[in-house]
Amino acid sequence: MSADQRLIVAIDVNTMEKVQELVEVLGDSVSYYKVGMELFYSVGSQVISYLCAQGKDVFLDLKLHDIPNTVGQSLAALTGLGISMLNVHASGGPAMMATAAQAVKNKAEAMGIERPKLIAVTVLTSINSGEWNTLGYNLDLSKQVVHLARLAQCAGLDGVVASPQEAEQIRAACGDEFIIVTPGIRPSGAAINDQSRIATPAGALKNGAHHLVIGRPITAAQDPRQAVQAILQEMRDRT
Ligand code: C5P
């Protein structure tokens, strides 16, 4: 996979004007975008239609977590929008994940389109070990992350979202084909913002990440296109 197919730029804005401005500035240097809850709930599915019309791949990061039937029906509706990758919370359980995977497959087959990848959020990277202890789980946090990744794989999901630090253990447990998408990426010298468990683009790839989700180091840069070129170069040097 080429560096530009591995880079997913997070569009964390809340109007179509801001989306269009960013996509126009980045032009053909970026082919894959992540749309999160804030943007999707602000502007609706028009953002997906717009990005698809521009020939871009879309990772819709809505992190669904509900009973199997509700998640399955919701993912079927989203699959109809032409998305490349979707996600659910692994803690929704094996039955929910299996129903979700089947619903996406059935909908894509019925529409005659390529099946979107379905990945799982394991444990949110915002949860630290202190908070983890208050939740009352038995396993320690990193073991739980790997355990949930394996459950997701057994349920037929294509991969997981994970911090770059967790990627290596997941890669060892789930093999090379299992997709690992890592946010929390900061090129050397970039502002850390509110991220804590971070890695450089090269470091995340070395740990086994397939896709890197990067937002502010690109979107808040003085020259976003130049920031993308520098990140892609660092990724190519590593691959
Ligand atoms: O600006 P930044 O590079 O920190 O953006 C990272 C993106 O990845 C944001 O959209 C954030 O919501 C998302 N994300 C994350 N950590 C997770 C899951 C998603 O930072 N565990």
Side-chain angles (χ1 to χ4, degrees):
M1 204 192 301
S2 67
D4 89 301
Q5 290 169 309
R6 289 180 184 272
L7 173 64
I8 303 179
V9 175
I11 327 182
D12 290 318
V13 297
N14 55 14
T15 67
M16 280 307 297
E17 291 69 33
K18 289 181 189 161
V19 172
Q20 284 162 359
E21 196 183 315
L22 181 69
V23 171
E24 278 164 26
V25 166
L26 295 177
D28 56 12
S29 67
V30 172
S31 60
Y32 212 145
Y33 285 96
K34 178 175 91 70
V35 172
M37 288 187 235
E38 180 193 5
L39 177 55
F40 194 74
Y41 296 151
S42 297
V43 304
S45 61
Q46 62 173 321
V47 65
I48 311 296
S49 317
Y50 167 75
L51 290 168
C52 291
Q54 302 295 311
K56 308 300 181 189
D57 283 310
V58 179
F59 167 26
L60 184 58
D61 179 24
L62 296 183
K63 302 186 177 71
L64 302 194
H65 191 170
D66 208 316
I67 58 172
N69 183 57
T70 303
V71 169
Q73 301 287 4
S74 305
L75 287 173
L78 294 171
T79 297
L81 300 177
I83 287 154
S84 298
M85 190 150 65
L86 294 155
N87 61 1
V88 297
H89 269 283
S91 51
M96 180 268 255
M97 288 193 281
T99 303
Q102 194 61 47
V104 170
K105 184 167 178 278
N106 291 350
K107 179 72 178 193
E109 274 173 13
M111 291 181 66
I113 58 171
E114 197 177 328
R115 180 180 66 81
K117 304 285 187 220
L118 182 63
I119 62 175
V121 177
T122 54
V123 177
L124 293 172
T125 47
S126 55
I127 292 181
N128 59 28
S129 51
E131 214 174 8
W132 182 250
N133 292 335
T134 67
L135 288 169
Y137 293 108
N138 292 327
L139 289 180
D140 75 38
L141 202 162
S142 65
K143 287 201 177 102
Q144 180 73 8
V145 166
V146 174
H147 178 65
L148 288 172
R150 293 177 90 140
L151 285 183
Q153 189 174 36
C154 291
L157 269 65
D158 300 294
V160 285
V161 184
S163 88
Q165 281 90 345
E166 290 151 4
E168 201 165 7
Q169 280 174 283
I170 295 170
R171 173 71 52 239
C174 300
D176 286 341
E177 299 303 311
F178 198 60
I179 298 170
I180 302 176
V181 177
T182 57
I185 306 296
R186 288 296 177 267
S188 348
I192 290 172
N193 313 111
D194 54 355
Q195 295 285 9
S196 50
R197 306 175 64 199
I198 59 169
T200 62
L205 292 177
K206 180 171 163 285
N207 284 0
H210 274 110
H211 289 288
L212 312 184
V213 172
I214 309 185
R216 287 160 292 180
I218 293 170
T219 55
Q222 248 178 0
D223 183 344
R225 204 179 162 105
Q226 199 275 327
V228 166
Q229 297 305 348
I231 288 167
L232 289 176
Q233 193 54 51
E234 183 176 345
M235 291 167 71
R236 285 191 198 106
D237 290 346
R238 163 67 189 83
T239 47

